[in-house]
Amino acid sequence: MKTNLHHITLLGVVAALTACGGGSGGGDTPPPASSSSSSSVVSSSSSSSSSSVESSSSSSSVSSEGPIAIEPDFDLYATTPTDFPVGVAVSAANENYSIFNHSDASARQDVITRHFSQLTAGNIMKMSYLHPQEDTFTFGDADQLVGFAETNGMTVHGHALVWHSSYQVPGFMNNYDGDFAAMLTDHVTNVVQHFETEYPGVVTSWDVVNEAVDQGAGDGFRRSVFYNELPPATDGDIPEYLKVAFQAARDAAPDVDLYYNDYDNTANETRLNKTLQIAEALNEEGTIDGVGFQMHIYMGYPSLSHFENAFQQVVDMGLKVKLTEIDVSVVNPYGSNPPAQPEYDEQLANDQKQRFCQVAEVYLDTVPAEQRGGFTVWGLTDDESWLMNQFANSTGADYDDVWPLLFNADLSAKPALQGVADAFTGQGCN
Ligand code: XIL
């Protein structure tokens, strides 16, 4: 795996539901005012060297002056104070923005291998991609990705062995006529074992179950096909399918870290408590290593104290905390009046830099080194983010861009990247 070889010299809200899993619905609560910050952006046009931009009032739009960019003299993963993974979700196979097929593929690969030490497949390691029929496993696309990680000294966070979202539940699992627990065990065992055998030590963690919580359901557990087949054995218990899946994963790969992963589980106390209930029950069985917080968040929501509180409760259980799918949309559409398309100016870019920095900082401050499962962003460039589609589908809001990630569409680094590095190197957030 990668080690920190580089000597580093650094140059340096909205009370709404955090975004949710594909197809799993949205939420809304009116937003408070967004956060602000006063320091100026260390920025330059992507096409020139690092002259700093005079921050005039607010009118430097992306389209007229090019992206607001920095030229980092660091590799992000190498700035971590301890050796936790710094990850990015990537597209592969024939997806848009595939790191293998996109017109920019090799430039994307360069940025990814420079700044990150771990990959998550944005889609291609989900259930139906790997196991479309009961007797058919299709590992070719995932093998290409995991092989790429191995070649480049990176690890992979597997995502996800069990997820309700209908577009990726294999058809044969619906209306399954047979022993569902045995079938689920077989699914998890085969998938986990494949990577253990073919790429030993590369897939270092899995989201075993993704998004089992639904606060609208009677007992707070989502009525997925998995729940319907394997519900809680007794009132007050967690659904059996969670226990079955985690046990199978543990048996297949005792040394791999196993996560329960969910969204909107920091500020939302009901969803946080449900997450904690799942973690606690699995912890009693010894089959879980950590909790994944997706972290699809906004500029001012959730608050840093919400993050701290949620992370702390997992830390207190002795489990790892992994931030699995971070993106920071600069606009939150889950209010009664979705805001208009924002302009991404230097002020906003700097606010977002500060926000990324603070998120990374609260992670480091709350989670002790040995319990840090990693810090992963959900996509490389702003234009590839899933959020524009998600917002359109769940609220009808039609945004060209919500600038949620660390790199501009042209692959130049945003001030937000500097923000994360500032936190990792203890420079403070400004
Ligand atoms: C998203 C992908 O990014 C999209 O490309 C796809 O259309 C839907 O799924 N929570 C998760 C991820 O756990 O798997 C989701 O990924 C985003 C929300």
Side-chain angles (χ1 to χ4, degrees), residues 20-22 122-123 126 159 163 167 210-211 261 294 296 325 378 386:
C20 52
N123 283 302
K126 291 170 181 171
H159 174 79
W163 188 29
Y167 85 95
N210 193 26
E211 303 180 353
N261 192 50
Q294 290 187 7
H296 299 293
E325 306 183 13
W378 200 247
W386 73 299

PDB file of all heavy atoms in Angstrom, residues 20-22 122-123 126 159 163 167 210-211 261 294 296 325 378 386, ligand 1:
ATOM      1  N   CYS A  20     -29.558  11.621   0.023  1.00  0.00           N
ATOM      2  CA  CYS A  20     -29.774  10.244   0.375  1.00  0.00           C
ATOM      3  C   CYS A  20     -29.401   9.332  -0.769  1.00  0.00           C
ATOM      4  O   CYS A  20     -29.066   9.764  -1.837  1.00  0.00           O
ATOM      5  CB  CYS A  20     -31.215  10.069   0.692  1.00  0.00           C
ATOM      6  SG  CYS A  20     -32.141  10.726  -0.637  1.00  0.00           S
ATOM      7  N   GLY A  21     -29.490   8.078  -0.495  1.00  0.00           N
ATOM      8  CA  GLY A  21     -29.086   7.083  -1.463  1.00  0.00           C
ATOM      9  C   GLY A  21     -29.905   7.147  -2.728  1.00  0.00           C
ATOM     10  O   GLY A  21     -31.058   7.548  -2.713  1.00  0.00           O
ATOM     11  N   GLY A  22     -29.287   6.761  -3.825  1.00  0.00           N
ATOM     12  CA  GLY A  22     -29.987   6.766  -5.093  1.00  0.00           C
ATOM     13  C   GLY A  22     -31.303   6.040  -4.962  1.00  0.00           C
ATOM     14  O   GLY A  22     -31.369   4.916  -4.510  1.00  0.00           O
ATOM     15  N   GLY A 122     -18.097   3.783  -7.709  1.00  0.00           N
ATOM     16  CA  GLY A 122     -19.357   4.519  -7.572  1.00  0.00           C
ATOM     17  C   GLY A 122     -20.568   3.635  -7.828  1.00  0.00           C
ATOM     18  O   GLY A 122     -21.633   3.839  -7.241  1.00  0.00           O
ATOM     19  N   ASN A 123     -20.421   2.680  -8.689  1.00  0.00           N
ATOM     20  CA  ASN A 123     -21.523   1.762  -9.001  1.00  0.00           C
ATOM     21  C   ASN A 123     -21.120   0.313  -9.231  1.00  0.00           C
ATOM     22  O   ASN A 123     -21.850  -0.590  -8.828  1.00  0.00           O
ATOM     23  CB  ASN A 123     -22.267   2.235 -10.268  1.00  0.00           C
ATOM     24  CG  ASN A 123     -23.176   3.414  -9.971  1.00  0.00           C
ATOM     25  OD1 ASN A 123     -24.070   3.333  -9.136  1.00  0.00           O
ATOM     26  ND2 ASN A 123     -22.931   4.524 -10.655  1.00  0.00           N
ATOM     27  N   LYS A 126     -21.665  -2.828  -6.988  1.00  0.00           N
ATOM     28  CA  LYS A 126     -22.972  -3.057  -6.346  1.00  0.00           C
ATOM     29  C   LYS A 126     -23.515  -4.422  -6.768  1.00  0.00           C
ATOM     30  O   LYS A 126     -22.988  -5.068  -7.691  1.00  0.00           O
ATOM     31  CB  LYS A 126     -23.917  -1.914  -6.692  1.00  0.00           C
ATOM     32  CG  LYS A 126     -23.490  -0.600  -6.014  1.00  0.00           C
ATOM     33  CD  LYS A 126     -24.244   0.625  -6.491  1.00  0.00           C
ATOM     34  CE  LYS A 126     -23.724   1.886  -5.772  1.00  0.00           C
ATOM     35  NZ  LYS A 126     -24.262   3.141  -6.325  1.00  0.00           N
ATOM     36  N   HIS A 159     -18.126  -1.525  -2.097  1.00  0.00           N
ATOM     37  CA  HIS A 159     -19.424  -0.870  -1.901  1.00  0.00           C
ATOM     38  C   HIS A 159     -20.389  -1.403  -2.940  1.00  0.00           C
ATOM     39  O   HIS A 159     -20.152  -1.208  -4.129  1.00  0.00           O
ATOM     40  CB  HIS A 159     -19.258   0.638  -2.058  1.00  0.00           C
ATOM     41  CG  HIS A 159     -20.537   1.419  -2.016  1.00  0.00           C
ATOM     42  ND1 HIS A 159     -21.174   1.715  -0.836  1.00  0.00           N
ATOM     43  CD2 HIS A 159     -21.317   1.950  -3.003  1.00  0.00           C
ATOM     44  CE1 HIS A 159     -22.273   2.433  -1.108  1.00  0.00           C
ATOM     45  NE2 HIS A 159     -22.388   2.579  -2.406  1.00  0.00           N
ATOM     46  N   TRP A 163     -27.754  -3.712  -0.609  1.00  0.00           N
ATOM     47  CA  TRP A 163     -28.358  -2.369  -0.688  1.00  0.00           C
ATOM     48  C   TRP A 163     -29.734  -2.493  -1.318  1.00  0.00           C
ATOM     49  O   TRP A 163     -29.897  -3.156  -2.342  1.00  0.00           O
ATOM     50  CB  TRP A 163     -27.457  -1.430  -1.501  1.00  0.00           C
ATOM     51  CG  TRP A 163     -27.875   0.003  -1.497  1.00  0.00           C
ATOM     52  CD1 TRP A 163     -28.541   0.659  -0.506  1.00  0.00           C
ATOM     53  CD2 TRP A 163     -27.677   0.971  -2.542  1.00  0.00           C
ATOM     54  NE1 TRP A 163     -28.742   1.977  -0.860  1.00  0.00           N
ATOM     55  CE2 TRP A 163     -28.227   2.194  -2.112  1.00  0.00           C
ATOM     56  CE3 TRP A 163     -27.070   0.915  -3.805  1.00  0.00           C
ATOM     57  CZ2 TRP A 163     -28.200   3.353  -2.884  1.00  0.00           C
ATOM     58  CZ3 TRP A 163     -27.039   2.071  -4.575  1.00  0.00           C
ATOM     59  CH2 TRP A 163     -27.594   3.282  -4.111  1.00  0.00           C
ATOM     60  N   TYR A 167     -32.493  -0.270  -8.527  1.00  0.00           N
ATOM     61  CA  TYR A 167     -31.762  -0.416  -9.787  1.00  0.00           C
ATOM     62  C   TYR A 167     -30.611  -1.402  -9.683  1.00  0.00           C
ATOM     63  O   TYR A 167     -30.071  -1.835 -10.698  1.00  0.00           O
ATOM     64  CB  TYR A 167     -31.262   0.941 -10.289  1.00  0.00           C
ATOM     65  CG  TYR A 167     -29.943   1.412  -9.716  1.00  0.00           C
ATOM     66  CD1 TYR A 167     -28.744   1.183 -10.407  1.00  0.00           C
ATOM     67  CD2 TYR A 167     -29.870   2.084  -8.504  1.00  0.00           C
ATOM     68  CE1 TYR A 167     -27.531   1.626  -9.907  1.00  0.00           C
ATOM     69  CE2 TYR A 167     -28.670   2.518  -8.000  1.00  0.00           C
ATOM     70  CZ  TYR A 167     -27.495   2.286  -8.695  1.00  0.00           C
ATOM     71  OH  TYR A 167     -26.295   2.711  -8.195  1.00  0.00           O
ATOM     72  N   ASN A 210     -25.908  -1.273   3.254  1.00  0.00           N
ATOM     73  CA  ASN A 210     -26.051   0.158   3.012  1.00  0.00           C
ATOM     74  C   ASN A 210     -27.515   0.553   3.212  1.00  0.00           C
ATOM     75  O   ASN A 210     -28.414  -0.096   2.650  1.00  0.00           O
ATOM     76  CB  ASN A 210     -25.617   0.432   1.556  1.00  0.00           C
ATOM     77  CG  ASN A 210     -25.418   1.894   1.223  1.00  0.00           C
ATOM     78  OD1 ASN A 210     -25.118   2.706   2.097  1.00  0.00           O
ATOM     79  ND2 ASN A 210     -25.564   2.235  -0.051  1.00  0.00           N
ATOM     80  N   GLU A 211     -27.757   1.572   4.035  1.00  0.00           N
ATOM     81  CA  GLU A 211     -29.081   2.214   4.118  1.00  0.00           C
ATOM     82  C   GLU A 211     -30.224   1.297   4.553  1.00  0.00           C
ATOM     83  O   GLU A 211     -31.237   1.167   3.863  1.00  0.00           O
ATOM     84  CB  GLU A 211     -29.427   2.880   2.777  1.00  0.00           C
ATOM     85  CG  GLU A 211     -28.389   3.898   2.341  1.00  0.00           C
ATOM     86  CD  GLU A 211     -28.716   4.568   1.007  1.00  0.00           C
ATOM     87  OE1 GLU A 211     -29.684   4.159   0.343  1.00  0.00           O
ATOM     88  OE2 GLU A 211     -27.988   5.504   0.636  1.00  0.00           O
ATOM     89  N   ASN A 261     -23.280   1.258   6.671  1.00  0.00           N
ATOM     90  CA  ASN A 261     -23.173   2.588   6.048  1.00  0.00           C
ATOM     91  C   ASN A 261     -24.559   3.203   5.867  1.00  0.00           C
ATOM     92  O   ASN A 261     -25.497   2.518   5.432  1.00  0.00           O
ATOM     93  CB  ASN A 261     -22.514   2.400   4.658  1.00  0.00           C
ATOM     94  CG  ASN A 261     -22.077   3.691   4.009  1.00  0.00           C
ATOM     95  OD1 ASN A 261     -21.392   4.516   4.614  1.00  0.00           O
ATOM     96  ND2 ASN A 261     -22.463   3.872   2.747  1.00  0.00           N
ATOM     97  N   GLN A 294     -22.194   8.618   5.306  1.00  0.00           N
ATOM     98  CA  GLN A 294     -22.075   9.013   3.898  1.00  0.00           C
ATOM     99  C   GLN A 294     -21.616  10.458   3.756  1.00  0.00           C
ATOM    100  O   GLN A 294     -20.805  10.782   2.905  1.00  0.00           O
ATOM    101  CB  GLN A 294     -23.401   8.793   3.160  1.00  0.00           C
ATOM    102  CG  GLN A 294     -23.740   7.319   2.967  1.00  0.00           C
ATOM    103  CD  GLN A 294     -24.960   7.098   2.091  1.00  0.00           C
ATOM    104  OE1 GLN A 294     -25.500   8.029   1.497  1.00  0.00           O
ATOM    105  NE2 GLN A 294     -25.405   5.855   1.996  1.00  0.00           N
ATOM    106  N   HIS A 296     -23.288  13.291   2.707  1.00  0.00           N
ATOM    107  CA  HIS A 296     -23.764  14.162   1.618  1.00  0.00           C
ATOM    108  C   HIS A 296     -24.333  15.401   2.313  1.00  0.00           C
ATOM    109  O   HIS A 296     -25.468  15.391   2.788  1.00  0.00           O
ATOM    110  CB  HIS A 296     -24.825  13.447   0.787  1.00  0.00           C
ATOM    111  CG  HIS A 296     -24.303  12.197   0.143  1.00  0.00           C
ATOM    112  ND1 HIS A 296     -23.343  12.235  -0.847  1.00  0.00           N
ATOM    113  CD2 HIS A 296     -24.574  10.894   0.363  1.00  0.00           C
ATOM    114  CE1 HIS A 296     -23.063  10.997  -1.219  1.00  0.00           C
ATOM    115  NE2 HIS A 296     -23.793  10.159  -0.502  1.00  0.00           N
ATOM    116  N   GLU A 325     -18.710   8.952   1.730  1.00  0.00           N
ATOM    117  CA  GLU A 325     -19.230   9.493   0.461  1.00  0.00           C
ATOM    118  C   GLU A 325     -19.344  11.012   0.509  1.00  0.00           C
ATOM    119  O   GLU A 325     -20.355  11.595   0.106  1.00  0.00           O
ATOM    120  CB  GLU A 325     -20.621   8.891   0.163  1.00  0.00           C
ATOM    121  CG  GLU A 325     -20.656   7.384   0.179  1.00  0.00           C
ATOM    122  CD  GLU A 325     -22.013   6.790  -0.184  1.00  0.00           C
ATOM    123  OE1 GLU A 325     -22.893   7.521  -0.690  1.00  0.00           O
ATOM    124  OE2 GLU A 325     -22.188   5.584   0.052  1.00  0.00           O
ATOM    125  N   TRP A 378     -17.162  11.603  -2.780  1.00  0.00           N
ATOM    126  CA  TRP A 378     -18.015  10.827  -3.691  1.00  0.00           C
ATOM    127  C   TRP A 378     -17.933  11.377  -5.121  1.00  0.00           C
ATOM    128  O   TRP A 378     -18.868  11.990  -5.631  1.00  0.00           O
ATOM    129  CB  TRP A 378     -19.456  10.799  -3.183  1.00  0.00           C
ATOM    130  CG  TRP A 378     -20.232   9.644  -3.797  1.00  0.00           C
ATOM    131  CD1 TRP A 378     -21.276   9.734  -4.668  1.00  0.00           C
ATOM    132  CD2 TRP A 378     -20.008   8.252  -3.596  1.00  0.00           C
ATOM    133  NE1 TRP A 378     -21.712   8.476  -5.033  1.00  0.00           N
ATOM    134  CE2 TRP A 378     -20.940   7.544  -4.381  1.00  0.00           C
ATOM    135  CE3 TRP A 378     -19.086   7.508  -2.831  1.00  0.00           C
ATOM    136  CZ2 TRP A 378     -21.004   6.142  -4.430  1.00  0.00           C
ATOM    137  CZ3 TRP A 378     -19.149   6.117  -2.874  1.00  0.00           C
ATOM    138  CH2 TRP A 378     -20.103   5.466  -3.666  1.00  0.00           C
ATOM    139  N   TRP A 386     -23.149  12.881  -8.735  1.00  0.00           N
ATOM    140  CA  TRP A 386     -24.498  12.312  -8.823  1.00  0.00           C
ATOM    141  C   TRP A 386     -25.569  13.291  -8.355  1.00  0.00           C
ATOM    142  O   TRP A 386     -26.745  13.095  -8.593  1.00  0.00           O
ATOM    143  CB  TRP A 386     -24.568  11.064  -7.938  1.00  0.00           C
ATOM    144  CG  TRP A 386     -24.597  11.374  -6.456  1.00  0.00           C
ATOM    145  CD1 TRP A 386     -23.639  12.030  -5.726  1.00  0.00           C
ATOM    146  CD2 TRP A 386     -25.656  11.075  -5.537  1.00  0.00           C
ATOM    147  NE1 TRP A 386     -24.025  12.141  -4.414  1.00  0.00           N
ATOM    148  CE2 TRP A 386     -25.261  11.562  -4.259  1.00  0.00           C
ATOM    149  CE3 TRP A 386     -26.888  10.437  -5.668  1.00  0.00           C
ATOM    150  CZ2 TRP A 386     -26.065  11.427  -3.125  1.00  0.00           C
ATOM    151  CZ3 TRP A 386     -27.680  10.308  -4.521  1.00  0.00           C
ATOM    152  CH2 TRP A 386     -27.274  10.807  -3.271  1.00  0.00           C
TER     153      TRP A 386
HETATM  154  C1  XIL B   1     -25.123   6.694  -6.516  1.00  0.00           C
HETATM  155  C2  XIL B   1     -24.221   6.818  -7.728  1.00  0.00           C
HETATM  156  O1  XIL B   1     -23.265   7.834  -7.493  1.00  0.00           O
HETATM  157  C3  XIL B   1     -25.034   7.137  -8.945  1.00  0.00           C
HETATM  158  O2  XIL B   1     -24.213   7.099 -10.106  1.00  0.00           O
HETATM  159  C4  XIL B   1     -26.185   6.138  -9.091  1.00  0.00           C
HETATM  160  O3  XIL B   1     -27.007   6.530 -10.146  1.00  0.00           O
HETATM  161  C5  XIL B   1     -26.988   6.051  -7.814  1.00  0.00           C
HETATM  162  O4  XIL B   1     -26.129   5.744  -6.739  1.00  0.00           O
HETATM  163  N1  XIL B   1     -25.554   6.647  -1.469  1.00  0.00           N
HETATM  164  C6  XIL B   1     -24.831   5.536  -1.845  1.00  0.00           C
HETATM  165  C7  XIL B   1     -24.271   5.436  -3.201  1.00  0.00           C
HETATM  166  O5  XIL B   1     -24.554   4.685  -0.997  1.00  0.00           O
HETATM  167  O6  XIL B   1     -24.191   4.133  -3.668  1.00  0.00           O
HETATM  168  C8  XIL B   1     -25.036   6.299  -4.167  1.00  0.00           C
HETATM  169  O7  XIL B   1     -24.362   6.273  -5.418  1.00  0.00           O
HETATM  170  C9  XIL B   1     -25.184   7.713  -3.636  1.00  0.00           C
HETATM  171  C10 XIL B   1     -25.907   7.723  -2.341  1.00  0.00           C
END
